[in-house]
Amino acid sequence: MTDPIFDPDLLSRCISCGFCLPACPTYAATGDEASSPRGRINLMRALQSGDLDPYDPTLQEQSTQCLGCRACEPVCPAGVEYGQLLEQWRDHQWKGRRQPLLAQVLMLTARMRHVFRALGVLRRTATGGQPPSQQAPAVPVSLMLGCFERVLFPRVSRAARKLVPGMAVPAGQGCCGALHAHNGDTAAGERLARRLGDDLPGTIVTTSGGCAAHLASVLGPARVRELSAHLADHGATGELRLDGRRARVALQDSCHLRNGLGVWKQPRDLIGQVADYVELPSATTCCGAAGTYSLLRPRESRRILNAKVREIEAADVDYVAAVNPGCLRQLRTGLRRARSRVKAVHIAELLAKAADQGPR
């Protein structure tokens, strides 16, 4: 007898109540039951029982179409852990030639620690060993450098180090494995997370919501803190002003950070301490980045992003802050395409800029 594809306990929790339907972006876009969490779980059950052939095109389509945003989890009365089911599904569905080629390339690239370390040096990513003893916290705090973030957005880590000077930035650290876990290789994702946990002593602070959720699932939430959750204990300083007034700032949630770790209030509170916070109607819903989704399914991703950009423009804000590098890249792309005056920034950069400006 072959091992089951899905954890039977996880799969049996769904009671098909439909509470997930309004929360699901793909169901909202298509109105197709198969494109909802409930519909996809029914497909998983059919695959598990053998009622559907593993090569059925609907299985491949729906395992790829799902954003993996986990917006269905907080609204589920039965506590279905859909994110785990999706990872198990992709582990089975995305094998060999069925795994998207681009995802394979990205995962292979993310394992090249020496390459990212060299590029990080060239891009002037934050550096620093253990802090001086007089500054060292009782429990060591280490800053995680995202693999692609250190190349695309090196100023984010420098801003984070400025906000928390006592953090160490151990050299040679690699990928956390979130990319692998979300793209059909959970085993590699867990191995990389544990290896990173060995490389980074004490509490791990990350500037990526998606990485935070993955690391916490492997190492435990006590060891991992997203930057805004870490800063919330101390608050923000300074004030961000433009043209003699407080800046107006919106936020785009990280789906995994909000839905996986329950971190959403902290970044809003921090922004409100240094600027006028403006809540976007769809701040809690996916921007379409969704890890590799914007690269694997660009048409659907762009449709989601275009609606988000129109909403940001209508809100008349100066900045939209992100707590995840993928979201930051997505928002910058959309705003640049729309020739918007609104700037997308990482929350670390925003808070560091406010601290530099000082109180007014």
Side-chain angles (χ1 to χ4, degrees), residues 20-75:
C20 58
L21 299 183
C24 178
T26 52
Y27 178 76
T30 65
D32 181 5
E33 172 72 18
S35 298
S36 72
R38 180 175 68 180
R40 292 186 177 111
I41 287 175
N42 284 332
L43 289 173
M44 295 178 200
R45 287 171 170 163
L47 176 61
Q48 181 100 316
S49 65
D51 291 336
L52 266 182
D53 186 282
Y55 297 98
D56 188 292
T58 303
L59 292 174
Q60 187 71 7
E61 168 65 14
Q62 289 302 329
S63 68
T64 306
Q65 188 199 51
C66 180
L67 287 153
C69 66
R70 298 170 64 178
C72 50
E73 291 188 21
V75 300

Side-chain angles (χ1 to χ4, degrees), residues 242-243 245 247-248 309 312-320 334-336 338-344:
L242 287 174
D243 302 324
R245 58 172 176 82
R248 288 170 54 83
V309 168
I312 292 170
E313 287 277 272
D316 190 31
V317 295
D318 302 298
Y319 298 96
V320 56
L335 291 169
R336 188 183 307 115
R339 298 183 180 180
S340 173
R341 67 171 185 83
V342 182
K343 294 181 180 179

Side-chain angles (χ1 to χ4, degrees), residues 148-328:
F148 290 99
E149 182 186 78
R150 72 183 81 178
V151 178
L152 297 175
F153 308 115
R155 288 185 295 183
V156 171
S157 60
R158 298 201 297 267
R161 190 96 196 282
K162 184 182 296 185
L163 293 167
V164 190
M167 284 195 297
V169 189
Q173 54 180 285
C175 179
C176 74
L179 178 67
H180 303 75
H182 299 157
N183 286 277
D185 195 350
T186 301
E190 292 180 355
R191 286 196 302 270
L192 289 167
R194 292 193 184 96
R195 181 177 180 181
L196 186 63
D198 293 338
D199 290 342
L200 303 182
T203 299
I204 300 172
V205 173
T206 170
T207 51
S208 169
C211 297
H214 172 67
L215 277 175
S217 72
V218 179
L219 304 179
R223 274 212 66 191
V224 183
R225 302 195 85 186
E226 183 270 334
L227 179 67
S228 65
H230 187 71
L231 291 174
D233 295 339
H234 311 287
T237 60
E239 186 177 37
L240 193 62
R241 299 183 69 86
L242 287 174
D243 302 324
R245 58 172 176 82
R246 279 170 68 93
R248 288 170 54 83
V249 182
L251 175 75
Q252 170 59 44
D253 277 307
S254 159
C255 295
H256 281 84
L257 185 65
R258 181 185 181 99
N259 302 322
L261 287 182
V263 175
W264 59 272
K265 187 175 184 297
Q266 297 91 325
R268 287 165 168 79
D269 288 345
L270 290 168
I271 292 171
Q273 291 168 26
V274 301
D276 288 341
Y277 177 69
V278 179
E279 179 76 11
L280 296 173
S282 71
T284 64
T285 63
C286 187
C287 65
T292 57
Y293 192 88
S294 62
L295 302 175
L296 299 179
R297 299 190 68 117
R299 182 177 300 177
E300 290 99 325
S301 173
R302 184 166 179 170
R303 187 182 302 120
I304 295 170
L305 176 60
N306 288 345
K308 184 79 66 174
V309 168
R310 289 193 295 269
E311 189 175 277
I312 292 170
E313 287 277 272
D316 190 31
V317 295
D318 302 298
Y319 298 96
V320 56
V323 287
N324 192 69
C327 302
L328 179 59

